Amino acid sequence: MRRRTAPRRIPALPLGLGLAALLLLSLLCGVALGAAGIGWADVLRFLWAGLTGGTVHAHDAAPYTIVWEIRLPRVLLAAVVGAGLAAVGVAVQAMVRNALADPFVLGISSGAAVGANAVILLGALAGLGVWALSVSAFASALAAMALVYAVARSPHGLTPLRLILTGTALAYGFEVVTTVMVFGAARGEAARSAMMWLLGSLGGATWAQVPLAAVTVAAGWAWLRRRAEALNALAMGDETAASLGVPPPRLRRELFLVTAAVTGTVVAVSGAIGFVGLMVPHVVRMLVGADHRRVLAVAPLAGAVLLVWADVLSRLLLAPAELPVGVITAVVGVPAFLLLMRRGGYAFGGC
């Protein structure tokens, strides 16, 4: 009988450096590509002017605004959101020890959708202006987080099964509320905008959103990296983790708070972009192994690259109209993920 050989792993350092270089190239392409044709030389000139505080000619004001005020914050936010979703996906899968888990399994994104649709469809928080959508989505995400925590908590802490069941059940409830709001919308365009947000969109990205999202994702990633060894223990089961000196209830509670904060932040600025947090962690494990120290070093870079290109495709395929980014991540990600799974030799949580 032919023995199955273990899959070859790629060293995390060179893979991470390669992805970092690819990310820089992807960001540049994301700024240069779009419905409005702007030459590469002009793009580089506008970026240099923006970075150094230089001036541009009056007749270049329109393309400069497109490059510096519209495309650049959009691609940067796409990278931040992709990195955050990938990192949180790794953490959630370890927290609940479920291969089907992603950042949205806790019901937080569905809760955020209620707040976002209250702004889009009902005009709530209109006094906040351009911040109304993000503030309402984030506030409702925090409310959903508190509700999930209160319901899922037991005398034994937050157990994986209770977290998944509670998050899934409440997500269905939030989705019902969202559906009723969409069907009850008086304006068809408002309903279309709501559906666009539900499938994910970076069309409203601004410079003001980038720093907050970047700081939140960076802080969450740094905490997860520091707890990578504990995640390795938790992924092997609560009894094993406890025998290694890692208290599962406390760690799971901390993971819940960190992942909820990051998820709520990225969903508030980008909508519910699916599949990134599910697919990227598994693909990275196939490449570098199951050690969370390596996975968390590579997954955010892979998620950032994926979402930058997904956003580029969403702008180009039906230009000048846009597709939801979540549609692109699913269309591209599903077949790619299935092809990788056919390679064999991969077991969730294994080496």
Side-chain angles (χ1 to χ4, degrees):
M1 181 181 294
R2 184 180 178 181
R3 296 181 59 187
R4 175 179 293 180
T5 59
R8 296 180 60 184
R9 303 301 185 193
I10 301 175
L13 180 58
L15 179 59
L17 292 175
L19 284 172
L22 180 59
L23 177 58
L24 291 176
L25 179 61
S26 300
L27 291 173
L28 182 59
C29 291
V31 174
L33 299 175
I38 302 175
W40 283 86
D42 288 335
V43 168
L44 294 175
R45 180 163 58 86
F46 296 151
L47 289 176
W48 179 254
L51 291 172
T52 60
T55 60
V56 295
H57 295 295
H59 64 270
D60 288 330
Y64 173 79
T65 300
I66 292 174
V67 168
W68 187 258
E69 297 293 340
I70 299 177
R71 291 184 185 173
L72 184 57
R74 178 168 181 159
V75 297
L76 291 176
L77 192 63
V80 169
V81 170
L85 290 175
V88 170
V90 173
V92 171
Q93 288 171 5
M95 177 172 62
V96 300
R97 297 201 306 274
N98 191 309
L100 293 177
D102 69 357
F104 304 142
V105 74
L106 301 178
I108 296 169
S109 66
S110 299
V114 175
N117 280 282
V119 173
I120 297 172
L121 301 174
L122 305 178
L125 303 181
L128 296 178
V130 295
W131 288 98
L133 181 61
S134 297
V135 170
S136 181
F138 184 70
S140 58
L142 291 181
M145 176 190 76
L147 183 58
V148 171
Y149 182 84
V151 176
R153 189 179 181 186
S154 70
H156 305 289
L158 295 175
T159 62
L161 181 59
R162 287 181 67 92
L163 269 175
I164 292 178
L165 292 178
T166 302
T168 302
L170 289 177
Y172 278 118
F174 295 139
E175 288 170 6
V176 168
V177 175
T178 300
T179 301
V180 171
M181 293 170 68
V182 171
F183 274 94
R187 295 177 292 117
E189 185 60 30
R192 182 181 181 279
S193 298
M195 292 304 299
M196 189 80 171
W197 191 93
L198 290 172
L199 293 172
S201 173
L202 293 160
T206 64
W207 276 114
Q209 295 173 331
V210 176
L212 178 60
V215 169
T216 303
V217 169
W221 173 81
W223 187 89
L224 292 173
R225 278 281 292 166
R226 188 169 62 86
R227 302 291 283 163
E229 289 283 6
L231 289 175
N232 287 338
L234 188 65
M236 292 186 288
D238 286 11
E239 292 184 2
T240 302
S243 68
L244 295 174
V246 177
R250 178 181 175 182
L251 177 59
R252 195 168 281 116
R253 183 169 60 250
E254 293 173 354
L255 282 170
F256 176 81
L257 295 175
V258 171
T259 56
V262 175
T263 301
T265 300
V266 299
V267 169
V269 297
S270 67
I273 301 175
F275 211 73
V276 177
L278 172 65
M279 179 187 72
V280 172
H282 288 305
V283 173
V284 171
R285 288 191 193 95
M286 293 177 191
L287 298 176
V288 303
D291 189 335
H292 284 85
R293 292 171 298 181
R294 297 194 298 266
V295 175
L296 284 168
V298 174
L301 292 170
V305 171
L306 172 62
L307 201 56
V308 167
W309 281 106
D311 180 57
V312 170
L313 290 175
S314 75
R315 288 184 273 140
L316 293 178
L317 290 180
L318 295 179
E322 290 189 13
L323 282 171
V325 181
V327 172
I328 304 298
T329 57
V331 169
V332 174
V334 169
F337 186 62
L338 293 177
L339 287 173
L340 285 170
M341 289 296 292
R342 286 185 59 84
R343 292 175 53 197
Y346 173 70
F348 173 69
C351 297

